[in-house]
């Protein structure tokens, strides 16, 4: 168990020092996915000891394209903490990052607790109070953003910051599969996509996460925020860059990096 604590310290130090580090599977080749989630769990508990709070869950690798790129057939999940949430339009300092990338997402805000192992997308929509446009800023602690599935799970799935737009809508008014979006970097369109890029349906991605959490007796709580997974590839940025994501029927969300 001491070894796992060493890996947690290694990753948290990299995050605090804003320094990219060699992936942990270079040293621990036989790390399993179950052990990787255990490291993630300990890393989150460490953050809680330091005064942070969980405010939700994020999904990753929800698109076929990303799964193929990594040679995997499953999505992954990590936890969102209160210090990751930034305000819409707020300038975010580059000095807080290692090598950040921005990606467009749809956020779900829960109206009820939900837990189980056979939860459907319909169940998710029934307990979702709002959906909202979101941008996730991912910032892997690993050199050049290169890692295995086990590495990225241990690293809490590259979480760094996220921004939620101010238009929150009940999901009953939105067709999440067909919703179209574009992402602009410095006023130029850099990616376009539709909700179905996320496991065919963003609500199906959230259902997957709940069922996965359910296997170990965990679930989502009322008020939790869930980032359902990137709709397009993530785009790198530097200080001075500005991003805006526009959804048909769901409004916009933006941030600038100072
Ligand atoms: C892992 C996190 C991916 C998403 O939405 O697919 C992710 C990574 O690519 O660094 O957040
Ligand atoms: Mg993401």
């Amino acid at each position: 168990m001491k070894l796992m604590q060493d890996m947690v310290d290694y990753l948290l130090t990299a995050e605090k020092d804003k320094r990219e580090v060699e992936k942990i599977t270079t040293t621990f080749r036989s790390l399993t996915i179950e052990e990787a989630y255990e490291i993630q769990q300990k890393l989150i508990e460490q953050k809680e000891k330091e005064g942070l709070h969980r405010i939700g869950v994020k999904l990753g690798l929800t698109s076929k394209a990303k799964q193929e790129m990594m040679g995997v057939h499953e999505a992954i999940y990590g936890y969102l903490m209160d210090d990751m949430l930034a305000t819409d339009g707020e300038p975010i300092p580059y000095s807080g990052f290692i090598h950040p990338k921005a990606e467009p997402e749809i956020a779900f805000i829960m109206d009820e607790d939900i837990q189980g192992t056979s939860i459907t997308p319909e169940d998710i929509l029934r307990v979702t109070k709002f959906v909202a446009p979101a941008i996730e800023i991912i910032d892997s602690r690993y050199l050049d953003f290169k890692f295995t599935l086990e590495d990225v799970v241990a690293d809490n799935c590259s979480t760094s910051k996220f921004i939620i737009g101010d238009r929150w809508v009940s999901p009953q008014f939105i067709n999440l599969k067909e919703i179209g979006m574009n992402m602009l970097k410095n006023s130029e369109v850099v990616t376009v996509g539709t909700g179905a890029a996320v496991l065919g349906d963003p609500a199906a991605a959230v259902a997957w996460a709940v069922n996965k959490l359910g296997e170990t007796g965990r679930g989502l709580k009322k008020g939790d925020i869930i980032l359902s997974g990137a709709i397009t590839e993530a785009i790198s940025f530097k200080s001075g860059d500005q991003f805006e994501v526009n959804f048909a029927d769901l409004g916009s969300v933006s941030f600038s990096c100072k």
Side-chain angles (χ1 to χ4, degrees), residues 102-106 132-136 178-197 230-235 242-255:
E103 51 187 27
E105 304 220 7
I106 295 171
I135 298 173
E136 183 179 24
E178 286 174 18
I179 193 165
M181 55 69 49
N182 62 25
M183 181 160 77
L184 280 66
K185 178 182 178 185
N186 303 329
S187 307
E188 295 217 5
V189 175
V190 283
T191 67
V192 297
T194 50
I231 298 171
T232 73
E233 75 261 37
I235 303 290
Q242 197 258 341
F243 278 77
E244 184 180 316
V245 170
N246 304 299
F247 281 93
D249 304 326
L250 198 55
S252 302
V253 52
S254 66
F255 78 93

Short mmCIF file of all heavy atoms in Angstrom, two decimals, residues 102-106 132-136 178-197 230-235 242-255:
data_model
loop_
_atom_site.label_atom_id
_atom_site.label_comp_id
_atom_site.label_asym_id
_atom_site.label_seq_id
_atom_site.Cartn_x
_atom_site.Cartn_y
_atom_site.Cartn_z
N ALA A 102 -8.29 22.50 -24.27
CA ALA A 102 -9.71 22.77 -24.01
C ALA A 102 -10.57 21.85 -24.88
O ALA A 102 -10.23 21.57 -26.02
CB ALA A 102 -10.03 24.22 -24.33
N GLU A 103 -11.69 21.37 -24.29
CA GLU A 103 -12.60 20.53 -25.06
C GLU A 103 -14.05 20.86 -24.71
O GLU A 103 -14.37 21.18 -23.57
CB GLU A 103 -12.29 19.04 -24.84
CG GLU A 103 -12.19 18.62 -23.40
CD GLU A 103 -11.71 17.18 -23.20
OE1 GLU A 103 -10.99 16.64 -24.06
OE2 GLU A 103 -12.08 16.60 -22.18
N PRO A 104 -14.94 20.76 -25.72
CA PRO A 104 -16.35 21.09 -25.52
C PRO A 104 -17.12 19.91 -24.91
O PRO A 104 -16.92 18.76 -25.32
CB PRO A 104 -16.86 21.35 -26.95
CG PRO A 104 -15.98 20.50 -27.82
CD PRO A 104 -14.64 20.42 -27.13
N GLU A 105 -17.97 20.19 -23.95
CA GLU A 105 -18.71 19.13 -23.27
C GLU A 105 -20.14 19.60 -22.92
O GLU A 105 -20.42 20.79 -22.92
CB GLU A 105 -17.99 18.73 -21.97
CG GLU A 105 -16.55 18.32 -22.19
CD GLU A 105 -16.11 17.13 -21.36
OE1 GLU A 105 -16.95 16.51 -20.67
OE2 GLU A 105 -14.90 16.82 -21.41
N ILE A 106 -20.97 18.62 -22.59
CA ILE A 106 -22.30 18.94 -22.03
C ILE A 106 -22.29 18.54 -20.56
O ILE A 106 -21.89 17.41 -20.23
CB ILE A 106 -23.42 18.21 -22.80
CG1 ILE A 106 -23.47 18.74 -24.24
CG2 ILE A 106 -24.76 18.38 -22.11
CD1 ILE A 106 -24.38 17.96 -25.17
N ALA A 132 -26.21 21.91 -19.36
CA ALA A 132 -25.61 23.22 -19.64
C ALA A 132 -24.37 23.05 -20.51
O ALA A 132 -23.72 21.99 -20.45
CB ALA A 132 -25.23 23.91 -18.32
N PRO A 133 -24.03 24.06 -21.31
CA PRO A 133 -22.80 23.98 -22.11
C PRO A 133 -21.59 24.10 -21.21
O PRO A 133 -21.61 24.84 -20.22
CB PRO A 133 -22.90 25.20 -23.04
CG PRO A 133 -23.79 26.16 -22.33
CD PRO A 133 -24.73 25.34 -21.47
N ALA A 134 -20.54 23.36 -21.52
CA ALA A 134 -19.35 23.37 -20.67
C ALA A 134 -18.08 23.27 -21.50
O ALA A 134 -18.11 22.80 -22.64
CB ALA A 134 -19.41 22.21 -19.68
N ILE A 135 -17.00 23.75 -20.92
CA ILE A 135 -15.66 23.54 -21.47
C ILE A 135 -14.86 22.85 -20.39
O ILE A 135 -14.87 23.29 -19.23
CB ILE A 135 -14.97 24.87 -21.85
CG1 ILE A 135 -15.75 25.61 -22.93
CG2 ILE A 135 -13.53 24.62 -22.30
CD1 ILE A 135 -15.22 27.01 -23.24
N GLU A 136 -14.21 21.75 -20.76
CA GLU A 136 -13.27 21.16 -19.81
C GLU A 136 -11.85 21.52 -20.23
O GLU A 136 -11.51 21.44 -21.40
CB GLU A 136 -13.40 19.64 -19.72
CG GLU A 136 -12.42 19.17 -18.63
CD GLU A 136 -12.35 17.70 -18.31
OE1 GLU A 136 -12.70 16.89 -19.15
OE2 GLU A 136 -11.92 17.39 -17.19
N GLU A 178 -28.74 15.02 -30.99
CA GLU A 178 -28.64 15.75 -32.26
C GLU A 178 -28.10 17.15 -32.11
O GLU A 178 -27.85 17.83 -33.11
CB GLU A 178 -30.01 15.78 -32.95
CG GLU A 178 -30.34 14.41 -33.53
CD GLU A 178 -31.74 14.33 -34.09
OE1 GLU A 178 -32.36 15.38 -34.36
OE2 GLU A 178 -32.21 13.20 -34.24
N ILE A 179 -27.91 17.59 -30.89
CA ILE A 179 -27.49 18.98 -30.69
C ILE A 179 -26.11 19.23 -31.35
O ILE A 179 -25.19 18.44 -31.21
CB ILE A 179 -27.48 19.33 -29.18
CG1 ILE A 179 -27.35 20.85 -29.01
CG2 ILE A 179 -26.37 18.60 -28.44
CD1 ILE A 179 -27.69 21.30 -27.60
N GLY A 180 -26.04 20.33 -32.09
CA GLY A 180 -24.79 20.67 -32.78
C GLY A 180 -24.01 21.73 -32.02
O GLY A 180 -24.58 22.50 -31.24
N MET A 181 -22.70 21.73 -32.17
CA MET A 181 -21.88 22.74 -31.49
C MET A 181 -20.65 23.08 -32.35
O MET A 181 -20.26 22.32 -33.22
CB MET A 181 -21.43 22.28 -30.11
CG MET A 181 -20.68 20.97 -29.96
SD MET A 181 -19.01 20.82 -30.60
CE MET A 181 -18.22 22.23 -29.94
N ASN A 182 -20.09 24.26 -32.07
CA ASN A 182 -18.76 24.57 -32.61
C ASN A 182 -17.91 25.20 -31.51
O ASN A 182 -18.43 25.72 -30.53
CB ASN A 182 -18.82 25.43 -33.87
CG ASN A 182 -19.44 26.79 -33.64
OD1 ASN A 182 -19.43 27.32 -32.53
ND2 ASN A 182 -20.00 27.38 -34.68
N MET A 183 -16.61 25.05 -31.66
CA MET A 183 -15.68 25.64 -30.68
C MET A 183 -14.76 26.60 -31.43
O MET A 183 -14.18 26.25 -32.45
CB MET A 183 -14.87 24.55 -29.99
CG MET A 183 -13.89 25.10 -28.93
SD MET A 183 -13.38 23.85 -27.72
CE MET A 183 -12.20 22.91 -28.66
N LEU A 184 -14.66 27.82 -30.89
CA LEU A 184 -13.82 28.84 -31.51
C LEU A 184 -12.61 29.11 -30.63
O LEU A 184 -12.73 29.21 -29.40
CB LEU A 184 -14.60 30.16 -31.66
CG LEU A 184 -15.56 30.29 -32.85
CD1 LEU A 184 -16.73 29.32 -32.72
CD2 LEU A 184 -16.10 31.71 -32.95
N LYS A 185 -11.46 29.20 -31.27
CA LYS A 185 -10.25 29.64 -30.56
C LYS A 185 -9.85 30.97 -31.20
O LYS A 185 -9.66 31.02 -32.42
CB LYS A 185 -9.14 28.61 -30.73
CG LYS A 185 -7.81 28.98 -30.06
CD LYS A 185 -6.76 27.91 -30.32
CE LYS A 185 -5.43 28.30 -29.71
NZ LYS A 185 -4.39 27.31 -30.06
N ASN A 186 -9.77 32.00 -30.43
CA ASN A 186 -9.44 33.34 -30.94
C ASN A 186 -10.31 33.69 -32.16
O ASN A 186 -9.81 34.09 -33.21
CB ASN A 186 -7.96 33.44 -31.26
CG ASN A 186 -7.10 33.12 -30.04
OD1 ASN A 186 -7.52 33.38 -28.91
ND2 ASN A 186 -5.95 32.52 -30.25
N SER A 187 -11.61 33.44 -32.02
CA SER A 187 -12.64 33.77 -33.01
C SER A 187 -12.63 32.92 -34.28
O SER A 187 -13.41 33.17 -35.19
CB SER A 187 -12.59 35.25 -33.42
OG SER A 187 -12.63 36.06 -32.28
N GLU A 188 -11.79 31.89 -34.34
CA GLU A 188 -11.80 31.00 -35.50
C GLU A 188 -12.34 29.63 -35.08
O GLU A 188 -11.95 29.10 -34.04
CB GLU A 188 -10.39 30.82 -36.04
CG GLU A 188 -9.82 32.09 -36.57
CD GLU A 188 -8.96 31.87 -37.79
OE1 GLU A 188 -8.88 30.72 -38.27
OE2 GLU A 188 -8.37 32.84 -38.24
N VAL A 189 -13.20 29.06 -35.93
CA VAL A 189 -13.75 27.74 -35.61
C VAL A 189 -12.63 26.70 -35.65
O VAL A 189 -11.94 26.58 -36.65
CB VAL A 189 -14.87 27.35 -36.60
CG1 VAL A 189 -15.36 25.93 -36.33
CG2 VAL A 189 -16.02 28.34 -36.51
N VAL A 190 -12.45 25.98 -34.54
CA VAL A 190 -11.40 24.94 -34.52
C VAL A 190 -11.97 23.53 -34.51
O VAL A 190 -11.32 22.60 -35.00
CB VAL A 190 -10.40 25.13 -33.36
CG1 VAL A 190 -9.41 26.25 -33.67
CG2 VAL A 190 -11.09 25.39 -32.03
N THR A 191 -13.17 23.33 -33.95
CA THR A 191 -13.81 22.01 -34.03
C THR A 191 -15.33 22.18 -34.12
O THR A 191 -15.88 23.19 -33.66
CB THR A 191 -13.53 21.12 -32.78
OG1 THR A 191 -14.17 21.68 -31.64
CG2 THR A 191 -12.04 20.95 -32.51
N VAL A 192 -15.99 21.19 -34.73
CA VAL A 192 -17.46 21.14 -34.76
C VAL A 192 -17.88 19.71 -34.42
O VAL A 192 -17.11 18.77 -34.65
CB VAL A 192 -18.04 21.52 -36.15
CG1 VAL A 192 -17.71 22.95 -36.51
CG2 VAL A 192 -17.55 20.58 -37.23
N GLY A 193 -19.08 19.56 -33.87
CA GLY A 193 -19.53 18.20 -33.54
C GLY A 193 -20.99 18.17 -33.13
O GLY A 193 -21.66 19.20 -33.09
N THR A 194 -21.46 16.96 -32.81
CA THR A 194 -22.83 16.79 -32.30
C THR A 194 -22.80 15.90 -31.06
O THR A 194 -21.86 15.11 -30.88
CB THR A 194 -23.76 16.12 -33.34
OG1 THR A 194 -23.10 14.95 -33.82
CG2 THR A 194 -24.09 17.02 -34.49
N GLY A 195 -23.83 16.02 -30.25
CA GLY A 195 -23.91 15.29 -28.97
C GLY A 195 -23.68 13.79 -29.13
O GLY A 195 -23.09 13.15 -28.25
N ALA A 196 -24.12 13.22 -30.25
CA ALA A 196 -24.02 11.77 -30.45
C ALA A 196 -22.57 11.28 -30.47
O ALA A 196 -22.32 10.08 -30.31
CB ALA A 196 -24.72 11.37 -31.74
N ALA A 197 -21.62 12.20 -30.62
CA ALA A 197 -20.21 11.80 -30.58
C ALA A 197 -19.84 11.21 -29.21
O ALA A 197 -18.85 10.50 -29.07
CB ALA A 197 -19.32 13.00 -30.88
N ALA A 230 -15.82 14.69 -23.87
CA ALA A 230 -15.56 15.62 -24.97
C ALA A 230 -16.33 15.24 -26.22
O ALA A 230 -16.40 14.06 -26.59
CB ALA A 230 -14.07 15.65 -25.27
N ILE A 231 -16.89 16.24 -26.89
CA ILE A 231 -17.63 16.01 -28.14
C ILE A 231 -16.66 16.00 -29.32
O ILE A 231 -16.90 15.35 -30.33
CB ILE A 231 -18.71 17.11 -28.30
CG1 ILE A 231 -19.71 17.02 -27.14
CG2 ILE A 231 -19.42 17.00 -29.65
CD1 ILE A 231 -20.68 18.17 -27.07
N THR A 232 -15.55 16.73 -29.18
CA THR A 232 -14.53 16.76 -30.26
C THR A 232 -13.16 16.59 -29.61
O THR A 232 -13.04 16.48 -28.38
CB THR A 232 -14.54 18.10 -31.02
OG1 THR A 232 -13.97 19.12 -30.19
CG2 THR A 232 -15.95 18.51 -31.43
N GLU A 233 -12.12 16.60 -30.44
CA GLU A 233 -10.78 16.52 -29.87
C GLU A 233 -10.49 17.78 -29.04
O GLU A 233 -11.14 18.81 -29.22
CB GLU A 233 -9.72 16.35 -30.98
CG GLU A 233 -9.42 17.60 -31.78
CD GLU A 233 -10.15 17.63 -33.11
OE1 GLU A 233 -11.33 17.18 -33.15
OE2 GLU A 233 -9.57 18.13 -34.08
N ALA A 234 -9.51 17.65 -28.14
CA ALA A 234 -9.11 18.77 -27.29
C ALA A 234 -8.09 19.62 -28.05
O ALA A 234 -7.29 19.10 -28.82
CB ALA A 234 -8.51 18.23 -26.01
N ILE A 235 -8.13 20.94 -27.80
CA ILE A 235 -7.25 21.88 -28.51
C ILE A 235 -6.31 22.57 -27.52
O ILE A 235 -6.77 23.14 -26.53
CB ILE A 235 -8.10 22.94 -29.26
CG1 ILE A 235 -9.10 22.27 -30.23
CG2 ILE A 235 -7.21 23.96 -29.98
CD1 ILE A 235 -8.48 21.61 -31.46
N GLN A 242 -8.22 32.72 -26.32
CA GLN A 242 -9.60 32.84 -25.86
C GLN A 242 -10.44 31.76 -26.54
O GLN A 242 -10.26 31.51 -27.74
CB GLN A 242 -10.10 34.24 -26.23
CG GLN A 242 -11.33 34.72 -25.50
CD GLN A 242 -12.57 34.60 -26.36
OE1 GLN A 242 -12.50 34.50 -27.57
NE2 GLN A 242 -13.72 34.57 -25.71
N PHE A 243 -11.31 31.10 -25.79
CA PHE A 243 -12.17 30.04 -26.36
C PHE A 243 -13.64 30.35 -26.13
O PHE A 243 -14.01 30.92 -25.10
CB PHE A 243 -11.89 28.69 -25.69
CG PHE A 243 -10.70 27.97 -26.24
CD1 PHE A 243 -9.43 28.37 -25.89
CD2 PHE A 243 -10.85 26.91 -27.12
CE1 PHE A 243 -8.31 27.72 -26.40
CE2 PHE A 243 -9.75 26.25 -27.63
CZ PHE A 243 -8.48 26.65 -27.27
N GLU A 244 -14.44 29.92 -27.10
CA GLU A 244 -15.89 30.04 -26.97
C GLU A 244 -16.50 28.78 -27.56
O GLU A 244 -16.09 28.33 -28.62
CB GLU A 244 -16.33 31.26 -27.77
CG GLU A 244 -17.77 31.59 -27.67
CD GLU A 244 -18.10 32.83 -28.51
OE1 GLU A 244 -17.34 33.82 -28.48
OE2 GLU A 244 -19.11 32.76 -29.22
N VAL A 245 -17.46 28.19 -26.86
CA VAL A 245 -18.18 27.03 -27.39
C VAL A 245 -19.65 27.43 -27.51
O VAL A 245 -20.24 27.94 -26.56
CB VAL A 245 -18.01 25.80 -26.46
CG1 VAL A 245 -18.97 24.69 -26.87
CG2 VAL A 245 -16.58 25.30 -26.49
N ASN A 246 -20.21 27.24 -28.71
CA ASN A 246 -21.61 27.60 -28.97
C ASN A 246 -22.41 26.35 -29.30
O ASN A 246 -22.05 25.61 -30.21
CB ASN A 246 -21.69 28.53 -30.19
CG ASN A 246 -20.82 29.75 -30.01
OD1 ASN A 246 -21.03 30.53 -29.08
ND2 ASN A 246 -19.83 29.92 -30.87
N PHE A 247 -23.49 26.14 -28.55
CA PHE A 247 -24.40 25.02 -28.83
C PHE A 247 -25.69 25.56 -29.41
O PHE A 247 -26.21 26.58 -28.92
CB PHE A 247 -24.75 24.30 -27.52
CG PHE A 247 -23.70 23.37 -27.03
CD1 PHE A 247 -22.75 23.80 -26.12
CD2 PHE A 247 -23.68 22.05 -27.44
CE1 PHE A 247 -21.79 22.94 -25.64
CE2 PHE A 247 -22.72 21.17 -26.96
CZ PHE A 247 -21.77 21.62 -26.06
N ALA A 248 -26.24 24.87 -30.41
CA ALA A 248 -27.59 25.19 -30.86
C ALA A 248 -28.51 24.86 -29.68
O ALA A 248 -28.36 23.81 -29.07
CB ALA A 248 -27.93 24.34 -32.07
N ASP A 249 -29.43 25.73 -29.33
CA ASP A 249 -30.45 25.52 -28.28
C ASP A 249 -29.92 25.48 -26.84
O ASP A 249 -30.69 25.34 -25.91
CB ASP A 249 -31.22 24.20 -28.48
CG ASP A 249 -31.86 24.12 -29.85
OD1 ASP A 249 -32.28 25.18 -30.35
OD2 ASP A 249 -31.91 23.01 -30.41
N LEU A 250 -28.61 25.55 -26.66
CA LEU A 250 -28.12 25.42 -25.28
C LEU A 250 -27.20 26.59 -24.90
O LEU A 250 -26.67 26.64 -23.80
CB LEU A 250 -27.39 24.07 -25.14
CG LEU A 250 -27.15 23.49 -23.76
CD1 LEU A 250 -28.44 23.37 -22.98
CD2 LEU A 250 -26.49 22.11 -23.87
N GLY A 251 -27.00 27.53 -25.82
CA GLY A 251 -26.21 28.72 -25.49
C GLY A 251 -24.72 28.48 -25.58
O GLY A 251 -24.26 27.50 -26.17
N SER A 252 -23.96 29.37 -24.94
CA SER A 252 -22.51 29.42 -25.12
C SER A 252 -21.79 29.42 -23.78
O SER A 252 -22.38 29.68 -22.73
CB SER A 252 -22.13 30.71 -25.85
OG SER A 252 -22.79 30.77 -27.08
N VAL A 253 -20.50 29.15 -23.86
CA VAL A 253 -19.65 29.22 -22.68
C VAL A 253 -18.26 29.62 -23.19
O VAL A 253 -17.87 29.25 -24.29
CB VAL A 253 -19.64 27.86 -21.91
CG1 VAL A 253 -19.31 26.69 -22.82
CG2 VAL A 253 -18.68 27.90 -20.74
N SER A 254 -17.55 30.42 -22.40
CA SER A 254 -16.25 30.90 -22.89
C SER A 254 -15.26 31.08 -21.74
O SER A 254 -15.64 31.13 -20.57
CB SER A 254 -16.44 32.23 -23.61
OG SER A 254 -16.84 33.22 -22.68
N PHE A 255 -14.00 31.16 -22.09
CA PHE A 255 -12.98 31.56 -21.12
C PHE A 255 -11.81 32.15 -21.89
O PHE A 255 -11.65 31.91 -23.09
CB PHE A 255 -12.51 30.38 -20.24
CG PHE A 255 -11.53 29.46 -20.93
CD1 PHE A 255 -10.15 29.66 -20.81
CD2 PHE A 255 -11.97 28.42 -21.73
CE1 PHE A 255 -9.25 28.81 -21.45
CE2 PHE A 255 -11.07 27.58 -22.38
CZ PHE A 255 -9.72 27.77 -22.24
#
